Amino acid sequence: MTDIRSIKLGISPINWVNEDVLELGDHYTFDDLMRDFTQLGFTGTENSRKFPKDAAVLKKALAQHGLQMASQWKGVLFSEPRRRASELESYRQHVEFLKSMGSRHVVTCELGGSIIGDPRRPKGVQDVHPLTDEEWNHMVEGLHQAGEICKRNGMKLVYHYHIGTVVERPDEIQRLMETTDPELVHLLLDTGHAYYGGSDPLELYERYADRVAYVHLKDVRNDVLERVKREGIPFQQAVIQGVFTVPGDGCIDFAPIFRSFVRHGYDDWMILEAEQDPGQANPYEYASKSKQYLAQIVQELNA
C-alpha cells in the first residue's frame, strides 16, 4: 500500500439511509448520496433502497460519479428446504443483477430464525431462534448451491455473520466455516458485528484470512454496547441508540487489523459502514473523519 487511494475503499449508503430501521435517514435522496460520495472521494458503494432499480440506469448513474457497485445484501431462507427452489431462483436473479453491475461479491446471510428478516416469525420477536442440526445442514446445502451459482458467474458468495441472526457468535462463525466448502462459501469480515457478537475482529481475521474476501469497516461504542447487553436491548434499538459508529470513533483499534491485511495480502473491497442515526451523527462528517483516520493508519504503515 502506498496511500489511501491504493485501497479499494467504498462507502455504504446505510450510513445515510438505514435498511433495518427504515425511519433513519429516509429523507435522503439518491442525488444527496451521490453528491456526498463524490465529494468524499470514495470509489465504491453498495446498493440502497434509494438507488434506481433499473440496472442500466443505475450503472450509468454510478459511473458518472466514478463509483463501482461493490455488492448488495441478500437474505436467504435456505434452512427451510420447502423454500429452497424459490430461494435459489431469487438468488440467481440477484447474482445476475450484481454481475450486470460489475460486482464480484454477493453479500449473503441466512435469515431463518432471525429477528431481522424471517417472514415466518411474529413481528416484534426479540430473540434469535437457533437452527436445529437438520435446519443447519439444510442451510449449508443451500449456501453451497448458491455458491455454485456465484462461481459459475465468476463471483464469490461472502457470508455476512450478523447480530440478530443464527450466525453471530464466535462458535457459530466457527461452525459455519467448518461445515462449508471454502471454494464456495467465503467470509465477509464485519469488524463491528464481530465485536458486538463477542469476537475479537483481529483474531477473527487472523483465523480465517484465507476465507475473507470482503470487508465491512465498522466501529463500536463500547459504553453503549455494555448497556445494550446489560439491559437486553434488541438490535434495532441498539442501532438507534448508537452502538455502531465509523472506524476511529469507537473502541476498535484498526491499526493492527490493517497491518494484518498487509501481511495476508488482502487487496479487495473495504466498505466504510456505520449503522447509526444520521440525525445524531452527520454521515458526511463522520465518513470524512473516518477516512482521515484510515489514511493516517496507512501512512504509518508505509513509514
Side-chain angles (χ1 to χ4, degrees):
M1 298 179 183
T2 56
D3 56 47
I4 196 69
R5 291 170 296 180
S6 68
I7 298 174
K8 295 177 68 175
L9 187 63
I11 184 70
S12 175
I14 206 170
N15 298 22
W16 283 253
V17 182
N18 201 278
E19 301 289 335
D20 295 319
V21 187
L22 300 183
E23 62 266 28
L24 296 185
D26 196 49
H27 62 283
Y28 284 103
T29 67
F30 176 71
D31 289 338
D32 292 334
L33 299 178
M34 291 299 97
R35 180 198 63 232
D36 287 356
F37 294 0
T38 300
Q39 291 179 0
L40 287 163
F42 288 100
T43 59
T45 182
E46 293 184 345
N47 207 353
S48 167
R49 58 190 171 94
K50 295 291 183 173
F51 285 11
K53 300 299 184 285
D54 182 271
V57 172
L58 177 55
K59 188 173 184 178
K60 181 178 180 180
L62 291 179
Q64 289 173 342
H65 292 88
L67 289 164
Q68 167 69 47
M69 175 72 74
S71 189
Q72 179 184 356
W73 165 280
K74 179 61 174 173
V76 296
L77 283 168
F78 292 151
S79 59
E80 185 177 323
R82 290 175 298 179
R83 303 176 67 117
R84 178 78 57 77
S86 61
E87 288 288 306
L88 285 172
E89 175 57 23
S90 175
Y91 196 90
R92 183 189 61 77
Q93 294 176 15
H94 187 74
V95 168
E96 289 179 353
F97 165 75
L98 286 177
K99 184 178 181 180
S100 73
M101 295 300 299
S103 307
R104 297 187 300 105
H105 304 86
V106 187
V107 175
T108 307
C109 182
E110 170 65 37
L111 298 183
S114 77
I115 65 170
I116 64 170
D118 187 341
R120 304 164 302 176
R121 302 197 69 192
K123 192 172 183 179
V125 172
Q126 297 182 0
D127 298 321
V128 174
H129 188 275
L131 300 181
T132 65
D133 288 343
E134 184 179 11
E135 289 172 328
W136 184 279
N137 291 337
H138 288 313
M139 177 189 73
V140 169
E141 291 170 5
L143 289 173
H144 286 163
Q145 290 176 287
E148 289 282 7
I149 293 172
C150 292
K151 191 173 183 179
R152 288 197 298 270
N153 284 278
M155 303 171 72
K156 291 181 178 180
L157 183 159
V158 288
Y159 193 93
H160 191 337
Y161 52 86
H162 197 285
I163 301 303
T165 74
V166 293
V167 184
E168 60 176 6
R169 301 193 309 266
D171 60 312
E172 294 162 346
I173 297 172
Q174 179 178 349
R175 185 180 183 188
L176 179 78
M177 293 291 91
E178 290 177 349
T179 56
T180 53
D181 185 339
E183 295 297 318
L184 300 175
V185 179
H186 305 271
L187 188 65
L188 185 158
L189 177 75
D190 186 301
T191 54
H193 280 276
Y195 190 92
Y196 192 137
S199 297
D200 179 305
L202 175 59
E203 291 180 1
L204 186 64
Y205 177 67
E206 291 279 358
R207 185 171 188 175
Y208 300 116
D210 60 335
R211 299 281 295 269
V212 172
Y214 197 86
V215 171
H216 280 171
L217 300 172
K218 187 192 288 101
D219 213 337
V220 174
R221 294 184 176 94
N222 200 50
D223 59 333
V224 179
L225 179 61
E226 289 179 351
R227 176 165 51 81
V228 162
K229 293 187 174 182
R230 184 172 62 250
E231 300 178 9
I233 297 171
F235 173 67
Q236 290 93 334
Q237 280 299 315
V239 168
I240 293 173
Q241 294 185 29
V243 70
F244 288 133
T245 185
V246 294
D249 188 54
C251 63
I252 299 175
D253 184 359
F254 282 83
I257 296 174
F258 269 67
R259 285 196 292 271
S260 187
F261 287 155
V262 172
R263 285 198 306 274
H264 291 281
Y266 183 83
D267 61 355
D268 228 312
W269 281 112
M270 300 183 194
I271 306 296
L272 186 67
E273 185 181 65
E275 298 172 71
Q276 54 185 341
D277 184 349
Q280 300 297 319
N282 183 285
Y284 184 97
E285 294 175 3
Y286 271 71
S288 179
K289 289 189 295 184
S290 188
K291 194 175 181 185
Q292 293 174 27
Y293 166 73
L294 297 176
Q296 180 62 36
I297 290 175
V298 172
Q299 183 178 350
E300 292 173 0
L301 282 174
N302 291 326

